[in-house]
Amino acid sequence: EGVERVPQDDGPDPVVPINYSVEFTEAMDYFRAVLQADERSERALDLTEKVIALNAANYTVWGFRRDCIDALGKDWAEELMWVTELAPDNPKNYQIWHHRRCCLKKLGGHPDELAFLDDFLTDEELEDAKNYHAWAHRQWVVKEFGLWEGELAFVERMLEMDIRNNSAYNQRMFVIKHTTDMGRPVREREVDWVLQKIAQVPNNDSSWAYLRGVVAGQGLSSYDALKMAAGAMCERMPPPLHAIELQADLCVEEGSKDEAKSLFSKLASDDSIRAKYWNWRAAQVA
């Protein structure tokens, strides 16, 4: 009442106008009106809920909703409960996860947030244990509120469910980098840890990427456990491609150029899709 609808301005001659539903058009017309008037009222807040139900990706509506909540003095804990109900139907929606973070900032944290994320990432119906948004949000929560204790144990549980979960490996690296000095003893411990994962699934890209991250810039040949593991895995039939590459890089470091070239040539033969890359690597061995 008392609000004049503001239609969408597509210009005088729209080339391909979108065929919006009547309900969506009406809701957006009224939303543009209250937004222009900066009306931070109960009915404006209710309208944002309707618009979000029609299009949860509209970031302008989410921002205005937060303005309304602040202006009306609403309970941010109730808002957090409301956005929690939306999460399962919009698991990869940037706006919902950002809004959740805003709620937690207003509240100064929430004791059940990690439990919510635990349930979300292990929900058998969602089957979304690698959800980028959930893991990114988890990293923010853990860092923002200092909830590091128990995080490595959670990562281990996730890897027990799926040893190929690259998001879990990334989370472990995040925790290690923020809770240790990444000194030599820490790196050696992590090398030993990830080599056990590789032994379980030798062709797992995620665990090999983690291994490379742990020893980055350190010199591969300085890790005895790494050298032994690479040699042993290259004896497997067939040997994992990652193990051959590691052995080749070790040979490069140690000056065994002919052996390194031979290993890169083997990779070119065994991994035909990336043959040009492996041949280039061989050519780089001076």
Side-chain angles (χ1 to χ4, degrees):
E1 183 178 345
V3 178
E4 185 174 344
R5 292 169 58 169
V6 177
Q8 179 169 303
D9 184 4
D10 287 331
D13 299 301
V15 178
V16 186
I18 298 174
N19 186 24
Y20 297 115
S21 69
V22 173
E23 181 184 16
F24 182 86
T25 300
E26 181 182 41
M28 286 303 300
D29 286 356
Y30 280 120
F31 174 71
R32 278 186 285 270
V34 298
L35 183 65
Q36 288 183 12
D38 196 21
E39 180 188 320
R40 305 183 185 189
S41 62
E42 288 285 353
R43 68 177 182 178
L45 181 62
D46 291 342
L47 180 59
T48 63
E49 182 172 351
K50 181 175 182 178
V51 174
I52 286 169
L54 293 169
N55 178 16
N58 190 325
Y59 57 85
T60 302
V61 180
W62 285 100
F64 187 68
R65 180 176 178 84
R66 289 189 288 274
D67 292 340
C68 288
I69 292 170
D70 274 334
L72 297 169
K74 294 293 186 178
D75 187 348
W76 282 98
E78 291 184 4
E79 184 69 5
L80 181 63
M81 292 175 61
W82 175 75
V83 79
T84 296
E85 295 175 358
L86 300 183
D89 292 329
N90 301 271
K92 291 180 171 65
N93 181 298
Y94 282 95
Q95 285 69 45
I96 282 181
W97 288 104
H98 178 69
H99 192 70
R100 186 174 196 90
R101 179 182 296 194
C102 291
C103 291
L104 291 170
K105 284 183 176 179
K106 293 288 187 179
L107 293 168
H110 194 282
D112 297 330
E113 189 63 10
L114 284 185
F116 160 76
L117 289 167
D118 289 359
D119 292 342
F120 185 91
L121 289 168
T122 57
D123 190 311
E124 293 183 358
E125 291 186 8
L126 286 177
E127 294 184 337
D128 205 9
K130 300 178 183 180
N131 185 298
Y132 166 80
H133 305 277
W135 282 102
H137 180 69
R138 188 180 186 96
Q139 288 190 355
W140 177 80
V141 170
V142 168
K143 185 178 180 181
E144 182 75 9
F145 303 110
L147 304 177
W148 301 103
E149 186 176 354
E151 194 61 13
L152 289 182
F154 173 75
V155 168
E156 200 65 43
R157 291 200 304 274
M158 295 300 291
L159 290 175
E160 287 174 1
M161 294 171 60
D162 177 11
I163 199 170
R164 293 178 173 83
N165 189 333
N166 55 293
S167 295
Y169 286 97
N170 181 65
Q171 184 74 356
R172 184 178 178 93
M173 182 64 77
F174 175 80
V175 174
I176 296 299
K177 283 188 172 181
H178 283 85
T179 59
T180 75
D181 61 359
M182 286 298 287
R184 181 69 183 208
V186 174
R187 292 178 187 271
E188 289 183 343
R189 182 195 71 195
E190 292 304 296
V191 166
D192 291 340
W193 175 83
V194 75
L195 285 176
Q196 293 178 31
K197 303 300 181 188
I198 290 172
Q200 294 178 51
V201 183
N203 291 302
N204 181 2
D205 289 343
S206 299
S207 52
W208 282 101
Y210 186 86
L211 175 62
R212 291 286 186 164
V214 168
V215 300
Q218 300 295 303
L220 299 172
S221 58
S222 67
Y223 290 87
D224 291 336
L226 198 60
K227 294 169 66 175
M228 292 178 60
M233 282 185 282
C234 282
E235 296 297 321
R236 297 171 61 102
M237 294 303 292
L241 296 177
H242 288 290
I244 301 173
E245 181 186 9
L246 178 59
Q247 187 69 17
D249 287 337
L250 283 165
C251 289
V252 171
E253 277 193 13
E254 296 174 344
S256 301
K257 298 178 182 179
D258 290 340
E259 185 177 354
K261 290 180 180 180
S262 176
L263 289 166
F264 284 129
S265 295
K266 177 173 175 53
L267 283 167
S269 174
D270 293 351
D271 185 15
S272 58
I273 292 178
R274 291 178 288 182
K276 290 184 178 180
Y277 169 71
W278 296 123
N279 286 328
W280 175 82
R281 288 292 309 274
Q284 297 305 301
V285 180

